[in-house]
Amino acid sequence: MNLHEYQGKEVLASYGVAIQRGKVANTVEEAVTAFKELQVETGTEAVVVKAQIHAGGRGKGGGVKLAKNMDELKEHAANILGMMLKTPQTPGGMEGTGKLVRKVLVAEDTYAPDFDACKEYYVSILMDRTKKKNVIIYSTEGGMDIEAVAEDTPELLHKEYIDPHMGLLGFQSRKIAFNLGLSGQAFKEMTKFISKLYSAFVGSDASLFEINPCLHTADDRILAVDAKVSLDENALFRHPDLAAMRDTTEEDPTEVEAQSYGLNYVNLDGNVGCMVNGAGLAMATMDIIKLSGGSPANFLDVGGTADAARVEQAFRIILKDDNVKAILINIFGGIVRCDRVAQGIVDAYKNMGNITVPIIVRLQGTNADIAKTIIDNSGLEVQSAILLQEAADKVKEVIS
Amino acid sequence: MSVLVNKDSKIIVQGFTGKEGSFHAGQMIEYGTNIIGGVTPGKGGQDHLGKPVFNSVDEAVSKARADTTIIFVPPKFAGDAIMEAAEAGIKVIICITEGIPVQDMVKVKAYIEKFDCTLVGPNCPGVITPGEAKVGIMPGFVFKKGRIGIVSKSGTLTYEAADQIVKAGLGISTAIGIGGDPIIGTPTKEAIQLLMEDPETDAIVMIGEIGGNYEALASEFIKSTGNKKPVVGFIAGKTAPAGRTMGHAGAIVGGEDDTAEAKMKIMAACGIHVVESPAEIGSTMLKALS
């Protein structure tokens, strides 16, 4: 689950990590109040108005602006709130439709008074699947695209692996601060920053922290100026406060609805919908649709209980997508009996009454033959198959 | 012989009296698996499904000599259940539970390293040695006995592969569902190695997914053995978009090296019979053996 920048910073601050201070605003009026309050609380003269959407590269699309006075603040807040912000990470990239900005973060200008004396670093934390350990990745090359740094100057990217038993050790924080070229007060501040950041990562069950830039100010403070935070959804039971930060307006509405039914659905841009039990088989089914000349319209795992109610919900979800020209249902019945699934499909089909796209049903496993008879005798416009290859051939027929 | 589980395994079920645990324990007993009891803390001394319930894994080991466990404990407590089993001296720990927090598994994996045990899973369908022991949630009837081993990250795709193998006139020695999570106990390479060393296995089906580098490591291992047993491989998720988790927590394309294409390329270069279509697993195995 991804958090907005302002939420990510709240999480960091709750663990004592120094952050660029700011206030979130939904309207221009709120932005004005935020500006006034920030000036009093932080002494900042200028502020940065930052669009809050779940995508990086916001500055490239005009979603991050410096406001030196009240007039500029009003202008930027008015322009950014409600805009369709395009970034390299929004759907379709800079050529796509962008994402609607509903909130802005009004944040202090941490680069004042001496912009040139500030230095930007890169710090991220994630779990390395190969080493099965958390790793802190850091670089002196902050503020820019880290993939480019990894590509062009890999020697400037450092990694520090954390022992699962011991956690982050003191010498590791010091090593990071040394490698970033720090000394004196800034060195001390950085070791503190890293150790608190790591506590926040573990404490919030995060799957990713990316602090880019991590700022070294002219007066030797170290702060998180941006924060990309992703949380492990499987661990949200431990963090009801973090779970409440979920912003479903940032997600695909159909995916949100599917989730409320317990269906695992990802919307894609193809023309053949699919309904499958099990994630691996669902991906394999998408692949076979492609090999048959179609293109998958979605990933959908109905899970272990494929009864009529669930099949009907899945049908409705798939058919919300107008691009869907055919549906392939692929169920391998193990514990779920195929005849029950077949009956579920027939019932759901009759209940809905208005399915106009061809449906190919492949049921294999427990009672597959009885299931085929049920489908074949239902009088519905549904084709049945038992072997995966048969199903693939039928998809091909229907599409061409 | 076979690997991991057989007719002599002394198996307990952790989370024995819960809904999932009860249902699948019943199915495993019906299959003929040697389930000797189960563990539910606080219910020790009772009988369930005609088998004794123990309060702890330690008790099951000391009183009934359990050596294998299958875990159906909810995600919140599953990490603890795995560590309890390892500490008690269980040799084969099979964890079915889906949804264990990643940071729990980081600790669990590091903790169990010091014990002489093999963890399979979590988030897996289990392990089956047809005709001897079904220690998992798979439909037993699909897996007819034979000499082909299966290693897979996915549940229903494993059943699909087994079904194709059987329809091709072959059968299964042992099928290992390794699980689809980012951190699992027995990665692809280790599972393949078990089957490579198993005298009752003649050939192997290896089914992977997008995400991670397990298939690449396994491929290099297979090459290093001189491909002494033919391996047929498939990677699910060629059509999956980058950056999205596809059902399994570990199934996410992060970079260029963990896409389906990249993995298939490495596999083919290491002498694995890679199938483009998941419908061709059985027929390709027949060809590989001829």
Side-chain angles (χ1 to χ4, degrees):
Chain A
M1 183 183 95
N2 295 325
L3 297 186
H4 284 295
E5 176 194 0
Y6 78 93
Q7 296 169 321
K9 283 176 168 171
E10 273 173 32
V11 174
L12 298 192
S14 71
Y15 285 87
V17 178
I19 56 162
Q20 172 198 42
R21 289 165 296 180
K23 290 173 190 287
V24 70
N26 298 289
T27 61
V28 176
E29 293 71 44
E30 286 178 21
V32 168
T33 313
F35 183 34
K36 288 179 187 160
E37 288 176 0
L38 264 186
Q39 286 190 316
V40 175
E41 289 167 22
T42 69
T44 191
E45 271 183 50
V47 288
V48 190
V49 184
K50 302 164 113 175
Q52 299 296 292
I53 58 165
H54 287 179
R58 292 166 296 166
K60 292 190 179 103
V64 179
K65 296 278 184 194
L66 182 71
K68 293 195 207 76
N69 52 50
M70 187 57 89
D71 287 343
E72 286 186 13
L73 172 97
K74 285 181 184 166
E75 188 194 330
H76 294 323
N79 285 342
I80 295 174
L81 281 166
M83 83 185 287
M84 292 299 291
L85 179 56
K86 294 171 193 153
T87 87
Q89 292 177 20
T90 49
M94 297 301 284
E95 309 299 318
T97 48
K99 269 187 138 176
L100 177 66
V101 181
R102 292 181 169 83
K103 291 177 197 299
V104 291
L105 177 64
V106 179
E108 62 175 325
D109 175 13
T110 46
Y111 293 77
D114 188 352
F115 181 86
D116 293 331
C118 294
K119 178 102 186 65
E120 291 180 327
Y121 307 122
Y122 173 92
V123 181
S124 67
I125 311 180
L126 50 94
M127 197 275 296
D128 184 311
R129 287 169 67 153
T130 312
K131 305 228 176 191
K132 296 159 195 78
K133 288 174 178 175
N134 295 327
V135 60
I136 302 179
I137 303 174
Y138 60 101
S139 174
T140 50
E141 306 307 292
M144 50 176 89
D145 183 9
I146 201 67
E147 277 82 18
V149 176
E151 183 81 11
D152 304 336
T153 49
E155 69 281 4
L156 295 177
L157 207 60
H158 305 280
K159 288 182 181 179
E160 193 64 28
Y161 289 94
I162 313 301
D163 184 299
H165 296 297
M166 304 304 292
L168 177 71
L169 300 169
F171 76 87
Q172 293 183 296
S173 305
R174 294 198 298 276
K175 186 161 133 198
I176 292 170
F178 280 128
N179 282 340
L180 289 171
L182 298 170
S183 59
Q185 185 62 24
F187 174 88
K188 278 190 205 153
E189 290 292 324
M190 182 56 88
T191 58
K192 248 193 276 175
F193 182 89
I194 294 292
S195 110
K196 286 179 174 164
L197 192 68
Y198 188 74
S199 302
F201 180 82
V202 174
S204 61
D205 275 292
S207 48
L208 173 71
F209 270 13
E210 189 173 45
I211 313 300
N212 190 21
C214 164
L215 191 71
H216 175 194
T217 64
D219 58 352
D220 283 339
R221 289 176 299 135
I222 304 291
L223 328 157
V225 171
D226 194 2
K228 182 176 178 187
V229 171
S230 298
L231 304 173
D232 178 0
E233 289 183 28
N234 287 337
L236 288 176
F237 66 81
R238 286 200 273 254
H239 311 283
D241 50 332
L242 301 180
M245 288 184 175
R246 182 169 171 203
D247 182 357
T248 50
T249 63
E250 286 290 320
E251 298 167 31
D252 181 299
T254 314
E255 290 178 15
V256 173
E257 190 188 342
Q259 214 169 45
S260 72
Y261 301 138
L263 299 168
N264 207 330
Y265 171 87
V266 177
N267 189 16
L268 305 169
D269 50 13
N271 56 2
V272 180
C274 54
M275 186 190 307
V276 189
N277 67 332
L281 191 60
M283 280 190 274
T285 304
M286 286 160 50
D287 296 344
I288 210 159
I289 288 171
K290 184 90 182 175
L291 288 169
S292 306
S295 163
N298 64 275
F299 165 93
L300 197 160
D301 175 8
V302 287
T305 45
D307 55 11
R310 219 170 158 77
V311 170
E312 190 174 329
Q313 284 158 344
F315 266 135
R316 289 190 193 283
I317 293 284
I318 293 172
L319 289 168
K320 272 176 196 266
D321 183 348
D322 295 335
N323 295 330
V324 170
K325 300 290 175 262
I327 298 177
L328 169 59
I329 300 178
N330 184 13
I331 304 284
F332 201 107
I335 308 305
V336 207
R337 282 165 35 197
C338 290
D339 52 328
R340 287 215 178 149
V341 179
Q343 197 56 53
I345 292 167
V346 172
D347 292 349
Y349 196 96
K350 286 185 176 157
N351 278 345
M352 291 182 63
N354 56 348
I355 299 179
T356 53
V357 301
I359 294 178
I360 298 137
V361 180
R362 185 269 180 151
L363 292 163
Q364 177 61 296
T366 318
N367 296 353
D369 41 350
I370 306 174
K372 189 170 183 337
T373 312
I374 292 173
I375 299 285
D376 291 345
N377 296 341
S378 66
L380 304 177
E381 293 286 317
V382 175
Q383 306 191 47
S384 64
I386 288 189
L387 294 177
L388 192 51
Q389 192 55 52
E390 284 175 57
D393 294 342
K394 290 198 163 145
V395 169
K396 203 172 206 166
E397 254 175 58
V398 164
I399 291 177
S400 57
Chain B
M1 259 287 288
S2 69
V3 302
L4 293 169
V5 297
N6 58 37
K7 60 184 188 321
D8 300 320
S9 301
K10 290 187 174 65
I11 304 156
I12 53 164
V13 179
Q14 282 173 267
F16 191 31
T17 56
K19 190 172 159 237
E20 293 282 306
S22 288
F23 176 77
H24 289 292
Q27 297 275 316
M28 288 186 279
I29 292 169
E30 200 177 296
Y31 185 85
T33 308
N34 186 26
I35 302 286
I36 58 161
V39 173
T40 298
K43 293 197 177 171
Q46 301 179 6
D47 262 13
H48 184 62
L49 307 174
K51 311 281 178 188
V53 182
F54 302 100
N55 274 323
S56 67
V57 182
D58 199 37
E59 195 189 346
V61 172
S62 60
K63 290 190 180 159
R65 297 197 183 163
D67 58 18
T68 302
T69 183
I70 177 165
I71 298 175
F72 290 98
V73 173
K76 209 172 176 172
F77 309 108
D80 188 66
I82 295 170
M83 293 190 283
E84 180 186 354
E87 205 274 340
I90 294 284
K91 298 292 175 233
V92 176
I93 303 167
I94 296 168
C95 185
I96 305 300
T97 310
E98 176 176 3
I100 303 178
V102 175
Q103 292 298 326
D104 289 9
M105 281 310 299
V106 169
K107 292 198 190 86
V108 168
K109 182 89 182 170
Y111 179 82
I112 64 171
E113 257 171 21
K114 62 183 173 205
F115 300 99
D116 173 26
C117 67
T118 303
L119 170 66
V120 179
N123 189 10
C124 78
V127 180
I128 182 168
T129 297
E132 296 196 36
K134 169 179 118 108
V135 192
I137 59 173
M138 63 288 277
F141 73 93
V142 176
F143 296 79
K144 301 279 187 300
K145 185 143 193 77
R147 302 185 61 86
I148 310 296
I150 301 179
V151 172
S152 169
K153 272 185 181 172
S154 149
T156 43
L157 195 49
T158 312
Y159 317 159
E160 175 70 45
D163 187 58
Q164 288 183 28
I165 292 295
V166 170
K167 289 215 164 78
L170 302 164
I172 317 301
S173 53
T174 298
I176 309 169
I178 60 170
D181 272 3
I183 293 187
I184 52 173
T186 304
T188 318
K189 186 206 126 188
E190 281 73 6
I192 295 271
Q193 190 166 3
L194 291 172
L195 293 169
M196 279 283 181
E197 289 162 7
D198 174 31
E200 293 185 1
T201 298
D202 293 340
I204 300 165
V205 175
M206 164 176 148
I207 296 171
E209 286 175 1
I210 51 168
N213 66 342
Y214 289 158
E215 293 84 1
L217 294 175
S219 302
E220 275 146 30
F221 166 75
I222 290 164
K223 193 180 172 190
S224 76
T225 66
N227 298 71
K228 65 173 181 183
K229 293 179 184 180
V231 179
V232 171
F234 173 71
I235 302 288
K238 205 170 176 179
T239 48
R244 297 294 307 266
T245 302
M246 307 303 278
H248 287 156
I252 180 167
V253 172
E256 280 171 19
D257 300 340
D258 60 359
T259 62
E261 278 92 348
K263 290 188 184 193
M264 286 182 176
K265 209 172 150 188
I266 296 169
M267 284 158 63
C270 291
I272 294 169
H273 303 266
V274 178
V275 295
E276 289 282 325
S277 162
E280 291 165 4
I281 296 168
S283 54
T284 309
M285 180 54 84
L286 271 185
K287 273 184 229 152
L289 284 171
S290 65

